[in-house]
Amino acid sequence: MATATVKAPTRQRLIDVAVRLFTQHSFAGTSLQMIANELGITKAAVYHYFRTREELLLAVVEPVLDQLRTIVETAEAQRTRTARAENVLTGFIDIAVRHRGLIFVLASDPGVIDMLRAQQNYGDLINRQLKLLADVDPGPAGPISAAVVLAGVAGAVGPALVDVDENVLRQQLLDVSRRALGLRAPRRPAGTDAK
Amino acid sequence: MATATVKAPTRQRLIDVAVRLFTQHSFAGTSLQMIANELGITKAAVYHYFRTREELLLAVVEPVLDQLRTIVETAEAQRTRTARAENVLTGFIDIAVRHRGLIFVLASDPGVIDMLRAQQNYGDLINRQLKLLADVDPGPAGPISAAVVLAGVAGAVGPALVDVDENVLRQQLLDVSRRALGLRAPRRPAGTDAK
């Protein structure tokens, strides 16, 4: 519910700094004052764009959640279980690699998870994503493998592997996730329905 | 460096409540006052055991880190790469399942990770654990698969799969991690050196 409609470089800089500080200090451990200090501006200048830390967090996550929603919906429209899983996996890993620090925060910070759960449809979106991955294996292994892959990808794009090249990281994450889920690499690129 | 040496049921209850509140609100979002309120005692009563939130966190994690250290050292003493990886994996998953909420907090909460990094040998211990898993694959896949498995196991023992039976969770986590790392299940139980 970001009420700020003004678009300015400052707004994007606030978002970038917020992601970095949330990663370093957690959402609960980051104040708007800390964000203002980091940019060398006053807290009043921050208020011009975001009145609360929560409003800033929403501005940070909304575009990423929109991308995730598109990926989940596209995957759900595929005809086979494996095509659905391959689709959502490829899309999620791509988002995770492009928004490294942010995905780590979204997946692991309890303060952020709490706030997102209060958002309409967020929990539903994550559950649909988990189900698409879990359905590869209809036994008890399915949901557990899906949870390991989602948490594992989100954790691996955190601070630890920050020096790994983006393309190498994307390909390796895809390979390890496919092995974990028992998915074979598709002959045709993901996005087509390789029945 | 927990200075409190008094052992009493209250001390353990403080630790248990702390783990639960850290999981719900993050370390930065949990105060000693919140912990006192949860137990229906005064903050002064908390101070009798722990003077700071950091001291309480150390009391929580020290026994778990001691167990992890033993596992890493035992694994490092094995003769083959696969035996070393199998050993550390089995031991870590066992700790993760027995201390579900805590391992999730240790692996994901930025405030906790910061504090642990400042502890002597902690970063070293995690790096040794990652290396034991990464060495299964000497290519670029090794470190990335290791990171996915550690983060994935730690994430999967968080709130999402809280209803899964402990033995099912342990076995499935072991299976998915072996697939992810490219480790075959050993014929002899882990802990022996199945060359």
Side-chain angles (χ1 to χ4, degrees), chain A residues 28-66:
Chain A
T30 304
S31 62
L32 288 184
Q33 184 66 60
M34 286 163 72
I35 294 170
N37 291 349
E38 190 75 13
L39 280 170
I41 62 180
T42 64
K43 206 167 155 187
V46 176
Y47 281 142
H48 179 67
Y49 298 95
F50 304 104
R51 291 201 218 153
T52 62
R53 193 169 49 174
E54 286 70 21
E55 213 173 74
L56 175 52
L57 178 63
L58 284 182
V60 167
V61 301
E62 264 172 11
V64 178
L65 291 188
D66 284 346

PDB file of all heavy atoms in Angstrom, chain A residues 28-66:
ATOM      1  N   ALA A  28      13.519  -6.034  11.687  1.00  0.00           N
ATOM      2  CA  ALA A  28      13.261  -5.468  13.014  1.00  0.00           C
ATOM      3  C   ALA A  28      14.432  -4.619  13.507  1.00  0.00           C
ATOM      4  O   ALA A  28      14.247  -3.701  14.294  1.00  0.00           O
ATOM      5  CB  ALA A  28      12.962  -6.585  14.014  1.00  0.00           C
ATOM      6  N   GLY A  29      15.626  -4.920  13.038  1.00  0.00           N
ATOM      7  CA  GLY A  29      16.819  -4.209  13.508  1.00  0.00           C
ATOM      8  C   GLY A  29      17.186  -2.996  12.656  1.00  0.00           C
ATOM      9  O   GLY A  29      18.244  -2.402  12.852  1.00  0.00           O
ATOM     10  N   THR A  30      16.337  -2.647  11.695  1.00  0.00           N
ATOM     11  CA  THR A  30      16.613  -1.497  10.812  1.00  0.00           C
ATOM     12  C   THR A  30      15.537  -0.433  11.006  1.00  0.00           C
ATOM     13  O   THR A  30      14.357  -0.715  10.845  1.00  0.00           O
ATOM     14  CB  THR A  30      16.609  -1.929   9.328  1.00  0.00           C
ATOM     15  OG1 THR A  30      17.543  -2.991   9.154  1.00  0.00           O
ATOM     16  CG2 THR A  30      16.986  -0.779   8.415  1.00  0.00           C
ATOM     17  N   SER A  31      15.938   0.773  11.357  1.00  0.00           N
ATOM     18  CA  SER A  31      14.971   1.867  11.520  1.00  0.00           C
ATOM     19  C   SER A  31      15.044   2.800  10.310  1.00  0.00           C
ATOM     20  O   SER A  31      16.035   2.806   9.577  1.00  0.00           O
ATOM     21  CB  SER A  31      15.296   2.660  12.786  1.00  0.00           C
ATOM     22  OG  SER A  31      16.580   3.241  12.652  1.00  0.00           O
ATOM     23  N   LEU A  32      13.975   3.583  10.119  1.00  0.00           N
ATOM     24  CA  LEU A  32      14.006   4.590   9.051  1.00  0.00           C
ATOM     25  C   LEU A  32      15.155   5.583   9.298  1.00  0.00           C
ATOM     26  O   LEU A  32      15.767   6.081   8.351  1.00  0.00           O
ATOM     27  CB  LEU A  32      12.660   5.334   8.966  1.00  0.00           C
ATOM     28  CG  LEU A  32      11.475   4.542   8.391  1.00  0.00           C
ATOM     29  CD1 LEU A  32      10.240   5.448   8.268  1.00  0.00           C
ATOM     30  CD2 LEU A  32      11.798   3.939   7.021  1.00  0.00           C
ATOM     31  N   GLN A  33      15.459   5.833  10.591  1.00  0.00           N
ATOM     32  CA  GLN A  33      16.575   6.732  10.922  1.00  0.00           C
ATOM     33  C   GLN A  33      17.898   6.173  10.385  1.00  0.00           C
ATOM     34  O   GLN A  33      18.726   6.906   9.836  1.00  0.00           O
ATOM     35  CB  GLN A  33      16.645   6.914  12.449  1.00  0.00           C
ATOM     36  CG  GLN A  33      17.703   7.902  12.911  1.00  0.00           C
ATOM     37  CD  GLN A  33      17.381   9.321  12.451  1.00  0.00           C
ATOM     38  OE1 GLN A  33      16.352   9.886  12.783  1.00  0.00           O
ATOM     39  NE2 GLN A  33      18.270   9.910  11.631  1.00  0.00           N
ATOM     40  N   MET A  34      18.098   4.846  10.539  1.00  0.00           N
ATOM     41  CA  MET A  34      19.332   4.227  10.036  1.00  0.00           C
ATOM     42  C   MET A  34      19.419   4.372   8.516  1.00  0.00           C
ATOM     43  O   MET A  34      20.492   4.603   7.964  1.00  0.00           O
ATOM     44  CB  MET A  34      19.371   2.742  10.403  1.00  0.00           C
ATOM     45  CG  MET A  34      19.663   2.475  11.875  1.00  0.00           C
ATOM     46  SD  MET A  34      19.220   0.777  12.377  1.00  0.00           S
ATOM     47  CE  MET A  34      20.521  -0.172  11.565  1.00  0.00           C
ATOM     48  N   ILE A  35      18.268   4.208   7.862  1.00  0.00           N
ATOM     49  CA  ILE A  35      18.236   4.327   6.394  1.00  0.00           C
ATOM     50  C   ILE A  35      18.551   5.762   5.987  1.00  0.00           C
ATOM     51  O   ILE A  35      19.333   6.006   5.064  1.00  0.00           O
ATOM     52  CB  ILE A  35      16.862   3.853   5.863  1.00  0.00           C
ATOM     53  CG1 ILE A  35      16.699   2.350   6.130  1.00  0.00           C
ATOM     54  CG2 ILE A  35      16.714   4.166   4.378  1.00  0.00           C
ATOM     55  CD1 ILE A  35      15.303   1.808   5.884  1.00  0.00           C
ATOM     56  N   ALA A  36      17.972   6.731   6.727  1.00  0.00           N
ATOM     57  CA  ALA A  36      18.254   8.145   6.456  1.00  0.00           C
ATOM     58  C   ALA A  36      19.744   8.444   6.652  1.00  0.00           C
ATOM     59  O   ALA A  36      20.383   9.068   5.792  1.00  0.00           O
ATOM     60  CB  ALA A  36      17.406   9.025   7.379  1.00  0.00           C
ATOM     61  N   ASN A  37      20.295   7.958   7.745  1.00  0.00           N
ATOM     62  CA  ASN A  37      21.718   8.193   8.030  1.00  0.00           C
ATOM     63  C   ASN A  37      22.609   7.652   6.915  1.00  0.00           C
ATOM     64  O   ASN A  37      23.564   8.296   6.495  1.00  0.00           O
ATOM     65  CB  ASN A  37      22.132   7.506   9.338  1.00  0.00           C
ATOM     66  CG  ASN A  37      21.496   8.156  10.559  1.00  0.00           C
ATOM     67  OD1 ASN A  37      20.916   9.244  10.463  1.00  0.00           O
ATOM     68  ND2 ASN A  37      21.590   7.499  11.699  1.00  0.00           N
ATOM     69  N   GLU A  38      22.261   6.464   6.445  1.00  0.00           N
ATOM     70  CA  GLU A  38      23.067   5.799   5.425  1.00  0.00           C
ATOM     71  C   GLU A  38      23.109   6.624   4.136  1.00  0.00           C
ATOM     72  O   GLU A  38      24.112   6.637   3.431  1.00  0.00           O
ATOM     73  CB  GLU A  38      22.456   4.413   5.148  1.00  0.00           C
ATOM     74  CG  GLU A  38      23.281   3.497   4.301  1.00  0.00           C
ATOM     75  CD  GLU A  38      24.470   2.881   5.024  1.00  0.00           C
ATOM     76  OE1 GLU A  38      24.527   2.967   6.279  1.00  0.00           O
ATOM     77  OE2 GLU A  38      25.345   2.337   4.325  1.00  0.00           O
ATOM     78  N   LEU A  39      21.991   7.305   3.841  1.00  0.00           N
ATOM     79  CA  LEU A  39      21.923   8.119   2.620  1.00  0.00           C
ATOM     80  C   LEU A  39      22.343   9.570   2.877  1.00  0.00           C
ATOM     81  O   LEU A  39      22.399  10.367   1.945  1.00  0.00           O
ATOM     82  CB  LEU A  39      20.492   8.103   2.056  1.00  0.00           C
ATOM     83  CG  LEU A  39      20.110   6.871   1.250  1.00  0.00           C
ATOM     84  CD1 LEU A  39      18.623   6.868   0.958  1.00  0.00           C
ATOM     85  CD2 LEU A  39      20.896   6.839  -0.063  1.00  0.00           C
ATOM     86  N   GLY A  40      22.601   9.885   4.142  1.00  0.00           N
ATOM     87  CA  GLY A  40      22.977  11.261   4.471  1.00  0.00           C
ATOM     88  C   GLY A  40      21.841  12.248   4.266  1.00  0.00           C
ATOM     89  O   GLY A  40      22.062  13.402   3.871  1.00  0.00           O
ATOM     90  N   ILE A  41      20.603  11.795   4.509  1.00  0.00           N
ATOM     91  CA  ILE A  41      19.451  12.697   4.412  1.00  0.00           C
ATOM     92  C   ILE A  41      18.717  12.700   5.752  1.00  0.00           C
ATOM     93  O   ILE A  41      19.033  11.901   6.642  1.00  0.00           O
ATOM     94  CB  ILE A  41      18.472  12.280   3.273  1.00  0.00           C
ATOM     95  CG1 ILE A  41      17.881  10.887   3.544  1.00  0.00           C
ATOM     96  CG2 ILE A  41      19.203  12.306   1.923  1.00  0.00           C
ATOM     97  CD1 ILE A  41      16.917  10.397   2.469  1.00  0.00           C
ATOM     98  N   THR A  42      17.746  13.591   5.893  1.00  0.00           N
ATOM     99  CA  THR A  42      17.016  13.660   7.157  1.00  0.00           C
ATOM    100  C   THR A  42      15.890  12.618   7.149  1.00  0.00           C
ATOM    101  O   THR A  42      15.461  12.135   6.096  1.00  0.00           O
ATOM    102  CB  THR A  42      16.369  15.047   7.358  1.00  0.00           C
ATOM    103  OG1 THR A  42      15.399  15.233   6.320  1.00  0.00           O
ATOM    104  CG2 THR A  42      17.415  16.151   7.303  1.00  0.00           C
ATOM    105  N   LYS A  43      15.415  12.322   8.365  1.00  0.00           N
ATOM    106  CA  LYS A  43      14.305  11.399   8.472  1.00  0.00           C
ATOM    107  C   LYS A  43      13.059  12.009   7.811  1.00  0.00           C
ATOM    108  O   LYS A  43      12.246  11.291   7.218  1.00  0.00           O
ATOM    109  CB  LYS A  43      14.029  11.116   9.956  1.00  0.00           C
ATOM    110  CG  LYS A  43      13.374   9.777  10.194  1.00  0.00           C
ATOM    111  CD  LYS A  43      13.415   9.408  11.669  1.00  0.00           C
ATOM    112  CE  LYS A  43      12.297   8.449  12.021  1.00  0.00           C
ATOM    113  NZ  LYS A  43      12.209   8.193  13.479  1.00  0.00           N
ATOM    114  N   ALA A  44      12.952  13.334   7.881  1.00  0.00           N
ATOM    115  CA  ALA A  44      11.813  14.007   7.230  1.00  0.00           C
ATOM    116  C   ALA A  44      11.822  13.761   5.722  1.00  0.00           C
ATOM    117  O   ALA A  44      10.770  13.578   5.103  1.00  0.00           O
ATOM    118  CB  ALA A  44      11.865  15.512   7.524  1.00  0.00           C
ATOM    119  N   ALA A  45      13.006  13.703   5.140  1.00  0.00           N
ATOM    120  CA  ALA A  45      13.114  13.431   3.698  1.00  0.00           C
ATOM    121  C   ALA A  45      12.661  12.007   3.388  1.00  0.00           C
ATOM    122  O   ALA A  45      12.039  11.755   2.350  1.00  0.00           O
ATOM    123  CB  ALA A  45      14.552  13.653   3.241  1.00  0.00           C
ATOM    124  N   VAL A  46      12.957  11.092   4.289  1.00  0.00           N
ATOM    125  CA  VAL A  46      12.482   9.712   4.099  1.00  0.00           C
ATOM    126  C   VAL A  46      10.958   9.679   4.148  1.00  0.00           C
ATOM    127  O   VAL A  46      10.307   9.042   3.314  1.00  0.00           O
ATOM    128  CB  VAL A  46      13.072   8.762   5.169  1.00  0.00           C
ATOM    129  CG1 VAL A  46      12.489   7.356   5.024  1.00  0.00           C
ATOM    130  CG2 VAL A  46      14.597   8.714   5.079  1.00  0.00           C
ATOM    131  N   TYR A  47      10.388  10.417   5.126  1.00  0.00           N
ATOM    132  CA  TYR A  47       8.926  10.439   5.309  1.00  0.00           C
ATOM    133  C   TYR A  47       8.207  10.941   4.059  1.00  0.00           C
ATOM    134  O   TYR A  47       7.033  10.648   3.850  1.00  0.00           O
ATOM    135  CB  TYR A  47       8.544  11.340   6.491  1.00  0.00           C
ATOM    136  CG  TYR A  47       8.725  10.696   7.829  1.00  0.00           C
ATOM    137  CD1 TYR A  47       9.203  11.423   8.923  1.00  0.00           C
ATOM    138  CD2 TYR A  47       8.400   9.339   8.036  1.00  0.00           C
ATOM    139  CE1 TYR A  47       9.369  10.840  10.159  1.00  0.00           C
ATOM    140  CE2 TYR A  47       8.575   8.749   9.274  1.00  0.00           C
ATOM    141  CZ  TYR A  47       9.052   9.504  10.326  1.00  0.00           C
ATOM    142  OH  TYR A  47       9.213   8.923  11.549  1.00  0.00           O
ATOM    143  N   HIS A  48       8.912  11.740   3.273  1.00  0.00           N
ATOM    144  CA  HIS A  48       8.314  12.231   2.029  1.00  0.00           C
ATOM    145  C   HIS A  48       7.934  11.049   1.122  1.00  0.00           C
ATOM    146  O   HIS A  48       6.944  11.116   0.383  1.00  0.00           O
ATOM    147  CB  HIS A  48       9.303  13.160   1.315  1.00  0.00           C
ATOM    148  CG  HIS A  48       8.780  13.696   0.014  1.00  0.00           C
ATOM    149  ND1 HIS A  48       7.725  14.570  -0.055  1.00  0.00           N
ATOM    150  CD2 HIS A  48       9.146  13.452  -1.272  1.00  0.00           C
ATOM    151  CE1 HIS A  48       7.472  14.847  -1.325  1.00  0.00           C
ATOM    152  NE2 HIS A  48       8.314  14.177  -2.084  1.00  0.00           N
ATOM    153  N   TYR A  49       8.704   9.968   1.195  1.00  0.00           N
ATOM    154  CA  TYR A  49       8.443   8.807   0.335  1.00  0.00           C
ATOM    155  C   TYR A  49       7.728   7.678   1.085  1.00  0.00           C
ATOM    156  O   TYR A  49       6.823   7.049   0.546  1.00  0.00           O
ATOM    157  CB  TYR A  49       9.766   8.269  -0.240  1.00  0.00           C
ATOM    158  CG  TYR A  49      10.457   9.276  -1.105  1.00  0.00           C
ATOM    159  CD1 TYR A  49      11.452  10.111  -0.586  1.00  0.00           C
ATOM    160  CD2 TYR A  49      10.091   9.423  -2.439  1.00  0.00           C
ATOM    161  CE1 TYR A  49      12.071  11.053  -1.381  1.00  0.00           C
ATOM    162  CE2 TYR A  49      10.717  10.361  -3.246  1.00  0.00           C
ATOM    163  CZ  TYR A  49      11.698  11.175  -2.714  1.00  0.00           C
ATOM    164  OH  TYR A  49      12.298  12.109  -3.499  1.00  0.00           O
ATOM    165  N   PHE A  50       8.162   7.419   2.305  1.00  0.00           N
ATOM    166  CA  PHE A  50       7.620   6.287   3.063  1.00  0.00           C
ATOM    167  C   PHE A  50       7.370   6.712   4.497  1.00  0.00           C
ATOM    168  O   PHE A  50       8.286   7.173   5.177  1.00  0.00           O
ATOM    169  CB  PHE A  50       8.599   5.108   3.039  1.00  0.00           C
ATOM    170  CG  PHE A  50       8.966   4.673   1.652  1.00  0.00           C
ATOM    171  CD1 PHE A  50      10.194   5.004   1.104  1.00  0.00           C
ATOM    172  CD2 PHE A  50       8.062   3.952   0.882  1.00  0.00           C
ATOM    173  CE1 PHE A  50      10.527   4.631  -0.188  1.00  0.00           C
ATOM    174  CE2 PHE A  50       8.383   3.568  -0.407  1.00  0.00           C
ATOM    175  CZ  PHE A  50       9.618   3.904  -0.949  1.00  0.00           C
ATOM    176  N   ARG A  51       6.130   6.521   4.959  1.00  0.00           N
ATOM    177  CA  ARG A  51       5.816   6.979   6.308  1.00  0.00           C
ATOM    178  C   ARG A  51       6.229   5.969   7.369  1.00  0.00           C
ATOM    179  O   ARG A  51       6.429   6.322   8.519  1.00  0.00           O
ATOM    180  CB  ARG A  51       4.322   7.252   6.421  1.00  0.00           C
ATOM    181  CG  ARG A  51       3.973   8.463   5.578  1.00  0.00           C
ATOM    182  CD  ARG A  51       2.684   9.080   6.025  1.00  0.00           C
ATOM    183  NE  ARG A  51       1.960   9.523   4.848  1.00  0.00           N
ATOM    184  CZ  ARG A  51       0.654   9.639   4.775  1.00  0.00           C
ATOM    185  NH1 ARG A  51      -0.096   9.316   5.831  1.00  0.00           N
ATOM    186  NH2 ARG A  51       0.085  10.047   3.689  1.00  0.00           N
ATOM    187  N   THR A  52       6.309   4.703   6.980  1.00  0.00           N
ATOM    188  CA  THR A  52       6.719   3.677   7.947  1.00  0.00           C
ATOM    189  C   THR A  52       7.685   2.716   7.258  1.00  0.00           C
ATOM    190  O   THR A  52       7.757   2.643   6.033  1.00  0.00           O
ATOM    191  CB  THR A  52       5.519   2.845   8.439  1.00  0.00           C
ATOM    192  OG1 THR A  52       4.945   2.170   7.300  1.00  0.00           O
ATOM    193  CG2 THR A  52       4.460   3.701   9.103  1.00  0.00           C
ATOM    194  N   ARG A  53       8.369   1.955   8.098  1.00  0.00           N
ATOM    195  CA  ARG A  53       9.271   0.912   7.619  1.00  0.00           C
ATOM    196  C   ARG A  53       8.481  -0.126   6.828  1.00  0.00           C
ATOM    197  O   ARG A  53       8.953  -0.675   5.845  1.00  0.00           O
ATOM    198  CB  ARG A  53       9.886   0.278   8.869  1.00  0.00           C
ATOM    199  CG  ARG A  53      11.034  -0.590   8.653  1.00  0.00           C
ATOM    200  CD  ARG A  53      11.671  -0.891  10.000  1.00  0.00           C
ATOM    201  NE  ARG A  53      10.672  -1.317  10.993  1.00  0.00           N
ATOM    202  CZ  ARG A  53      10.970  -1.752  12.200  1.00  0.00           C
ATOM    203  NH1 ARG A  53      12.216  -1.821  12.590  1.00  0.00           N
ATOM    204  NH2 ARG A  53      10.022  -2.120  13.035  1.00  0.00           N
ATOM    205  N   GLU A  54       7.253  -0.398   7.275  1.00  0.00           N
ATOM    206  CA  GLU A  54       6.401  -1.392   6.607  1.00  0.00           C
ATOM    207  C   GLU A  54       6.061  -0.948   5.183  1.00  0.00           C
ATOM    208  O   GLU A  54       6.048  -1.756   4.258  1.00  0.00           O
ATOM    209  CB  GLU A  54       5.105  -1.611   7.400  1.00  0.00           C
ATOM    210  CG  GLU A  54       5.272  -2.415   8.685  1.00  0.00           C
ATOM    211  CD  GLU A  54       6.018  -1.681   9.793  1.00  0.00           C
ATOM    212  OE1 GLU A  54       6.084  -0.412   9.754  1.00  0.00           O
ATOM    213  OE2 GLU A  54       6.557  -2.346  10.691  1.00  0.00           O
ATOM    214  N   GLU A  55       5.781   0.364   5.047  1.00  0.00           N
ATOM    215  CA  GLU A  55       5.441   0.901   3.733  1.00  0.00           C
ATOM    216  C   GLU A  55       6.637   0.763   2.775  1.00  0.00           C
ATOM    217  O   GLU A  55       6.478   0.431   1.599  1.00  0.00           O
ATOM    218  CB  GLU A  55       5.062   2.377   3.898  1.00  0.00           C
ATOM    219  CG  GLU A  55       4.012   2.852   2.943  1.00  0.00           C
ATOM    220  CD  GLU A  55       3.574   4.271   3.289  1.00  0.00           C
ATOM    221  OE1 GLU A  55       4.336   5.221   3.021  1.00  0.00           O
ATOM    222  OE2 GLU A  55       2.461   4.434   3.825  1.00  0.00           O
ATOM    223  N   LEU A  56       7.812   0.995   3.323  1.00  0.00           N
ATOM    224  CA  LEU A  56       9.037   0.854   2.531  1.00  0.00           C
ATOM    225  C   LEU A  56       9.239  -0.608   2.128  1.00  0.00           C
ATOM    226  O   LEU A  56       9.542  -0.916   0.969  1.00  0.00           O
ATOM    227  CB  LEU A  56      10.227   1.380   3.350  1.00  0.00           C
ATOM    228  CG  LEU A  56      11.623   1.219   2.759  1.00  0.00           C
ATOM    229  CD1 LEU A  56      11.695   1.762   1.340  1.00  0.00           C
ATOM    230  CD2 LEU A  56      12.647   1.955   3.628  1.00  0.00           C
ATOM    231  N   LEU A  57       9.037  -1.512   3.064  1.00  0.00           N
ATOM    232  CA  LEU A  57       9.184  -2.939   2.756  1.00  0.00           C
ATOM    233  C   LEU A  57       8.232  -3.358   1.637  1.00  0.00           C
ATOM    234  O   LEU A  57       8.612  -4.083   0.714  1.00  0.00           O
ATOM    235  CB  LEU A  57       8.933  -3.787   4.009  1.00  0.00           C
ATOM    236  CG  LEU A  57       9.004  -5.305   3.806  1.00  0.00           C
ATOM    237  CD1 LEU A  57      10.387  -5.755   3.360  1.00  0.00           C
ATOM    238  CD2 LEU A  57       8.599  -6.049   5.082  1.00  0.00           C
ATOM    239  N   LEU A  58       6.998  -2.874   1.701  1.00  0.00           N
ATOM    240  CA  LEU A  58       6.026  -3.231   0.660  1.00  0.00           C
ATOM    241  C   LEU A  58       6.463  -2.723  -0.711  1.00  0.00           C
ATOM    242  O   LEU A  58       6.327  -3.423  -1.708  1.00  0.00           O
ATOM    243  CB  LEU A  58       4.641  -2.694   1.014  1.00  0.00           C
ATOM    244  CG  LEU A  58       3.915  -3.484   2.089  1.00  0.00           C
ATOM    245  CD1 LEU A  58       2.537  -2.902   2.329  1.00  0.00           C
ATOM    246  CD2 LEU A  58       3.799  -4.963   1.700  1.00  0.00           C
ATOM    247  N   ALA A  59       7.007  -1.508  -0.730  1.00  0.00           N
ATOM    248  CA  ALA A  59       7.488  -0.958  -2.005  1.00  0.00           C
ATOM    249  C   ALA A  59       8.633  -1.811  -2.552  1.00  0.00           C
ATOM    250  O   ALA A  59       8.802  -1.962  -3.754  1.00  0.00           O
ATOM    251  CB  ALA A  59       7.946   0.483  -1.810  1.00  0.00           C
ATOM    252  N   VAL A  60       9.415  -2.389  -1.631  1.00  0.00           N
ATOM    253  CA  VAL A  60      10.542  -3.229  -2.019  1.00  0.00           C
ATOM    254  C   VAL A  60      10.051  -4.554  -2.599  1.00  0.00           C
ATOM    255  O   VAL A  60      10.531  -5.015  -3.630  1.00  0.00           O
ATOM    256  CB  VAL A  60      11.446  -3.501  -0.785  1.00  0.00           C
ATOM    257  CG1 VAL A  60      12.436  -4.618  -1.069  1.00  0.00           C
ATOM    258  CG2 VAL A  60      12.176  -2.243  -0.354  1.00  0.00           C
ATOM    259  N   VAL A  61       9.062  -5.151  -1.941  1.00  0.00           N
ATOM    260  CA  VAL A  61       8.698  -6.519  -2.314  1.00  0.00           C
ATOM    261  C   VAL A  61       7.632  -6.604  -3.405  1.00  0.00           C
ATOM    262  O   VAL A  61       7.558  -7.603  -4.106  1.00  0.00           O
ATOM    263  CB  VAL A  61       8.223  -7.356  -1.097  1.00  0.00           C
ATOM    264  CG1 VAL A  61       9.311  -7.423  -0.041  1.00  0.00           C
ATOM    265  CG2 VAL A  61       6.928  -6.850  -0.523  1.00  0.00           C
ATOM    266  N   GLU A  62       6.815  -5.551  -3.551  1.00  0.00           N
ATOM    267  CA  GLU A  62       5.697  -5.657  -4.491  1.00  0.00           C
ATOM    268  C   GLU A  62       6.106  -6.058  -5.911  1.00  0.00           C
ATOM    269  O   GLU A  62       5.514  -6.973  -6.477  1.00  0.00           O
ATOM    270  CB  GLU A  62       4.859  -4.377  -4.487  1.00  0.00           C
ATOM    271  CG  GLU A  62       3.657  -4.509  -3.554  1.00  0.00           C
ATOM    272  CD  GLU A  62       2.903  -3.204  -3.354  1.00  0.00           C
ATOM    273  OE1 GLU A  62       3.174  -2.232  -4.083  1.00  0.00           O
ATOM    274  OE2 GLU A  62       2.053  -3.154  -2.443  1.00  0.00           O
ATOM    275  N   PRO A  63       7.111  -5.393  -6.496  1.00  0.00           N
ATOM    276  CA  PRO A  63       7.463  -5.794  -7.863  1.00  0.00           C
ATOM    277  C   PRO A  63       7.964  -7.244  -7.934  1.00  0.00           C
ATOM    278  O   PRO A  63       7.688  -7.942  -8.916  1.00  0.00           O
ATOM    279  CB  PRO A  63       8.574  -4.812  -8.262  1.00  0.00           C
ATOM    280  CG  PRO A  63       8.860  -3.967  -7.079  1.00  0.00           C
ATOM    281  CD  PRO A  63       7.845  -4.211  -6.037  1.00  0.00           C
ATOM    282  N   VAL A  64       8.651  -7.705  -6.901  1.00  0.00           N
ATOM    283  CA  VAL A  64       9.158  -9.077  -6.904  1.00  0.00           C
ATOM    284  C   VAL A  64       7.998 -10.064  -6.761  1.00  0.00           C
ATOM    285  O   VAL A  64       7.948 -11.094  -7.448  1.00  0.00           O
ATOM    286  CB  VAL A  64      10.197  -9.268  -5.770  1.00  0.00           C
ATOM    287  CG1 VAL A  64      10.690 -10.701  -5.730  1.00  0.00           C
ATOM    288  CG2 VAL A  64      11.359  -8.305  -5.956  1.00  0.00           C
ATOM    289  N   LEU A  65       7.042  -9.744  -5.897  1.00  0.00           N
ATOM    290  CA  LEU A  65       5.876 -10.618  -5.745  1.00  0.00           C
ATOM    291  C   LEU A  65       5.048 -10.656  -7.028  1.00  0.00           C
ATOM    292  O   LEU A  65       4.504 -11.702  -7.386  1.00  0.00           O
ATOM    293  CB  LEU A  65       5.008 -10.169  -4.566  1.00  0.00           C
ATOM    294  CG  LEU A  65       5.616 -10.371  -3.178  1.00  0.00           C
ATOM    295  CD1 LEU A  65       4.592 -10.069  -2.098  1.00  0.00           C
ATOM    296  CD2 LEU A  65       6.174 -11.767  -3.007  1.00  0.00           C
ATOM    297  N   ASP A  66       4.976  -9.541  -7.720  1.00  0.00           N
ATOM    298  CA  ASP A  66       4.254  -9.527  -9.007  1.00  0.00           C
ATOM    299  C   ASP A  66       4.916 -10.481  -9.999  1.00  0.00           C
ATOM    300  O   ASP A  66       4.236 -11.223 -10.712  1.00  0.00           O
ATOM    301  CB  ASP A  66       4.230  -8.107  -9.596  1.00  0.00           C
ATOM    302  CG  ASP A  66       3.225  -7.210  -8.877  1.00  0.00           C
ATOM    303  OD1 ASP A  66       2.384  -7.748  -8.124  1.00  0.00           O
ATOM    304  OD2 ASP A  66       3.290  -5.975  -9.052  1.00  0.00           O
TER     305      ASP A  66
END
